[in-house]
Structures are given as structure tokens and as C-alpha cells.
Amino acid sequence: MKDTAAKTELNCSSEYGQLLDVLVSEPRHMRIEAKINETQKHFEEIETNIALQQHRDFVHLLKEEGVNVHQLPSKSHLHEQVFTRDIGFVIGSRFYISQMKEEVRKGESKELAEWLKGMETYTFQSPIEGGDVLVDRNTIWVGYSGRTSMEAIQELKQQEPEKDVHPLPLADGVLHLDCVLNILDAHTALAFPEAFTDEGWQMIQNRFRVIPVTKDETFHMGPNVLSIGLNKVISLSRHTRLNKKLEAEGFTVLPVDFSEIIKSGGAFRCCTLPLHRKDPRDHIDDIPKKGCR
């Protein structure tokens, strides 16, 4: 039976509510060809078999944690398709289809639209990618980057008039907001300070208790973790300092080797498009108290 979104409930009000349904795509045809981001410039090729196994290990972990994993079929001409987060995002119960900036990625949105057939969606007219969009309950943080335009940010404001949409200008060379900022729970975020303007960094500090990430960790996709709820965070196994810091802050770290996939400029958040998360307020009693292990 073909996996489609038709019977999947959409509901995402945060980046940290318990993850119930997610869309992924295998890196079956993944390769570095056009070198469309700074990370790719440092690598020549992807070992596809290794990338496939790492991705399957990641999906297996998601399933073990009770997540219903949907697969977007991999197409041979779409080499970046593993990064499903970029091609769309869910805010509340509404599905948004991104307008991809790079020509080599435009076909990914078409495949997503086909998978979503029968479901009401909104497609952006101006360039915006889901890696630049972080949902923070009544606030939406949007990276103003080389991939997301101010016109699209204004478009999102028009579509979500009851939300506070905050643009965060990003430093040159930063691919997406989720490469330098990730929300872990209602009060805590990972962030790389040098990626933001002084004003933007102040806004982040005013909103979150920030765990800073180093320049080397950021290059190797350290901030691109995936919160699956209940204070559990999937993080790269290579980042021992960062993972120890997360554990010290009361998070349960689930380490995964993603060394081959990060060569193309993304990790766990990039490789997942959440369709349904529990509202964090619905399971507050289930969340382990930090510091109590």
C-alpha cells in the first residue's frame, strides 16, 4: 500500500513536543554534485552504502521511541532529498510546501506535493526553506538566509496573522537557521552565537536559556539535533563535549553516527519533517524532572 499523508493527523505547535509522526526519505541517491552549501565544499563524495545504513539506524531508533515513520520515495535525480525538513513544514494543523531556492532541489517540492495529494496545503510564492523555520508555540522564528527571502517571511506573516513571526538575519555562509539554533524544550535552546546579529542574539537570549555551541561543533552539525519530546534529544555521537553538556542540563541524549550524511550539510533535524507532535502541555506529567535520573 502506498504511503501517503491522507490519513495522517497534522499538528505541530513546537519543536519539542513528543514526536508522533514524521516524514523521511532514504539517501539512496545522495551525492555531492553542485556543491550548493559551504559544508559540501569540504567534501568530494558520499559513500552511499554508509549513508543508507546510518539513516536506517536513525529510523530504527525513531521507531523504537514510538515514532510513526513515513517514507517519501527516493528519486534518482534528487540527490538532496534526504533533507525532508527543507521542503516543507507544519504549523498547527497546516502544511506548508517550501519554494526551494536552488534549481537542483526544486523537484523535491513536486514529489512532496504528490505525496500530500488529497490534503490541503499552502505553497509559497517566494523562496523559503523549512530549515529556516522554528515553531515556538505562538512565536515562529525564521532565518533570513541565502535560502529564505524577506518576501517569504512577509508571506508567512500573512498566513499566520495570530503568530509572532520573528526574522533572524544569519551570517554569510550559514545555510539554515536550524544549523545554528535548535529549541530543546520550553526554556532551553542550543545556539552558535557568531551566526547572529547583536540584536538577534539578544532576542534569543531574552527568550531561552542558551547552551552555546562551538565553531567546530557547528561545522560538524552539532546544533542540528532532533528533540523527540520527553527531554530526549538525538545528537551526533561524535560531539562528546556537547552531549555531556546536554546530559548535565537534564536531557537524555540518544547518540547516533551520521558522519556520512553530515558531509552534505545537514543532520537529524534536516532529515526529518515532523507531521504530528503532541502539544507539550498535554503530557507535562510524563516529562522526567531534570536532574532526577
Side-chain angles (χ1 to χ4, degrees), residues 239-259:
H239 292 307
T240 53
R241 184 209 71 86
L242 180 57
N243 292 342
K244 287 178 181 177
K245 179 64 176 175
L246 288 169
E247 289 173 344
E249 295 290 338
F251 294 96
T252 298
V253 175
L254 305 175
V256 175
D257 181 10
F258 234 40
S259 54

Side-chain angles (χ1 to χ4, degrees), residues 86 89 91 94 96-101 122-133 140-161 165-168:
D86 297 338
F89 50 92
I91 299 176
R94 193 171 193 192
Y96 290 93
I97 299 178
S98 302
Q99 182 69 247
M100 306 302 287
K101 179 73 175 292
Y122 177 84
T123 301
F124 280 86
Q125 302 303 304
S126 302
I128 186 170
E129 300 188 4
D132 278 322
V133 180
I140 305 171
W141 303 94
V142 187
Y144 176 35
S145 69
R147 300 291 185 89
T148 294
S149 66
M150 191 56 69
E151 290 79 8
I153 295 174
Q154 294 301 322
E155 204 174 328
L156 182 58
K157 286 183 177 182
Q158 292 172 4
Q159 296 300 317
E160 295 286 342
V165 178
H166 286 312
L168 285 172

Side-chain angles (χ1 to χ4, degrees), residues 170-219:
L170 301 177
D172 291 344
V174 175
L175 177 57
H176 290 130
L177 180 60
D178 66 5
C179 294
V180 291
L181 174 68
N182 249 305
I183 304 170
L184 304 178
D185 66 15
H187 309 289
T188 315
L190 281 180
F192 177 53
E194 296 174 34
F196 303 96
T197 63
D198 290 344
E199 181 182 1
W201 182 238
Q202 190 61 56
M203 289 174 64
I204 293 168
Q205 289 183 304
N206 289 344
R207 169 64 183 89
F208 300 106
R209 179 169 56 91
V210 178
I211 300 174
V213 183
T214 68
K215 185 175 183 178
D216 182 70
E217 288 167 342
T218 300
F219 175 78

Side-chain angles (χ1 to χ4, degrees), residues 64-84:
E64 280 192 328
E65 292 295 327
V67 182
N68 186 21
V69 180
H70 303 265
Q71 291 276 357
L72 185 65
S74 302
K75 301 297 183 179
S76 60
H77 65 292
L78 299 176
H79 310 310
E80 305 276 325
Q81 200 175 9
V82 67
F83 301 128
T84 53

Side-chain angles (χ1 to χ4, degrees), residues 15 36 61 68 79 90 95 178 188 196 220 225 266:
E15 298 290 331
I36 57 175
L61 175 59
N68 186 21
H79 310 310
V90 176
F95 202 110
D178 66 5
T188 315
F196 303 96
H220 292 99
V225 300

Side-chain angles (χ1 to χ4, degrees), residues 100-118:
M100 306 302 287
K101 179 73 175 292
E102 297 290 339
E103 191 65 34
V104 295
R105 299 202 64 184
K106 290 184 183 296
E108 296 175 45
S109 298
K110 295 176 183 177
E111 293 299 324
L112 177 62
E114 178 65 24
W115 190 81
L116 291 164
K117 189 170 288 186

